[in-house]
Amino acid sequence: ELGVEAKYLQPSGETEADYLTEITNLYDGGFKFIVLPGFKFETAVFKDMKRMVWRKYVLNVGWNQVSALTHATYGEFLKTPYIKELIERAMLEVVDVAKALDINVTEKDVTDINSLMGSFSPEGKTSMYQDMENKRKSEVDYFSGTLLKLGEKFNVPTPVNEILYKLIKSIEALY
C-alpha cells in the first residue's frame, strides 16, 4: 500500500486517444495514483514522479545492498535486528541526500517501505542477492556509488553506504 488516493480507470472511450484523455483528466484532477487495468502489467502514474523514483531508490539502496552482503531472504531480514538497523541506516542516508536536493522523501517513507517489504514472500531474494549468488556484477555503482557522489557534492555524509559500496566492490573484484 502506497498510502495515496487511487483511481482505477476502466476505459469508457472507443480509441486509445479517448483512453489517454481520461488518464490526463484524472491526473490533472489531482489523483496521485492511477491504476490502468487491462494491460499485461499495471501502470501507475504519480503526480510527483521524482519522489516515487527516489522512494524506489531508497528501497534499493537499503534492501538490495544489505541482502547482497548478508545473503538474507526477505523473511530473514525481519528476524534479524542488525540487518534491519543496517537497512534503515543506509536508507536514511538516501533521505538525507534527497533533502539536500529538495526532493520530498522522508523518514516516514523509510518506515512505509520497510512495512511494504514485510509483505514480500519470506523466501524471496533481492536482485543483488541473486547477483552475488551467481557471481555477477551488481547495481552497486548505481545505488551507493551514485549516492556517494551526490553526498560528496552536497556535503552530506554517507558512511554506511560507503562501507556497503566498498564491501560489495571487494566481493565483485574476487570473481
Side-chain angles (χ1 to χ4, degrees):
E1 180 63 42
L2 296 170
V4 294
E5 184 177 2
K7 172 72 176 177
Y8 285 83
L9 179 63
Q10 295 295 333
S12 60
E14 303 266 332
T15 67
E16 185 175 323
D18 293 335
Y19 194 40
L20 292 174
T21 299
E22 290 179 59
I23 294 168
T24 302
N25 290 341
L26 285 170
Y27 184 78
D28 290 342
F31 284 99
K32 297 178 181 133
F33 182 67
I34 302 168
V35 177
L36 309 174
F39 291 92
K40 292 186 181 185
F41 60 91
E42 288 193 359
T43 305
V45 179
F46 296 93
K47 196 121 184 136
D48 186 350
M49 285 302 291
K50 186 183 288 188
R51 177 177 186 276
M52 298 313 294
V53 168
W54 272 77
R55 279 179 53 107
K56 175 71 174 187
Y57 186 47
V58 168
L59 181 155
N60 280 324
V61 165
W63 285 75
N64 263 294
Q65 295 184 131
V66 173
S67 71
L69 294 168
T70 62
H71 291 227
T73 63
Y74 294 123
E76 292 165 334
F77 278 131
L78 303 174
K79 297 178 193 169
T80 313
Y82 298 117
I83 292 175
K84 287 169 51 176
E85 180 184 357
L86 191 54
I87 289 169
E88 187 165 306
R89 285 185 176 193
M91 292 168 80
L92 288 172
E93 288 181 2
V94 179
V95 170
D96 291 342
V97 169
K99 286 178 184 176
L101 294 165
D102 201 29
I103 296 168
N104 184 25
V105 179
T106 67
E107 292 81 2
K108 183 179 181 321
D109 290 309
V110 170
T111 302
D112 292 347
I113 290 165
N114 286 336
S115 294
L116 172 71
M117 297 306 285
S119 69
F120 280 43
S121 168
E123 298 82 31
K125 301 174 183 178
T126 68
S127 60
M128 282 184 73
Y129 177 166
Q130 294 173 55
D131 290 338
M132 296 291 117
E133 274 187 318
N134 294 295
K135 298 188 184 312
R136 292 188 302 248
K137 299 290 183 194
S138 70
E139 299 167 290
V140 70
D141 289 318
Y142 299 111
F143 297 158
S144 60
T146 299
L147 189 70
L148 296 175
K149 290 175 187 168
L150 290 170
E152 184 177 330
K153 181 176 180 177
F154 293 97
N155 200 30
V156 177
T158 54
V160 171
N161 279 283
E162 182 177 3
I163 291 168
L164 295 174
Y165 179 81
K166 289 178 179 179
L167 286 170
I168 293 169
K169 292 301 276 186
S170 296
I171 292 167
E172 291 179 349
L174 299 173
Y175 294 164

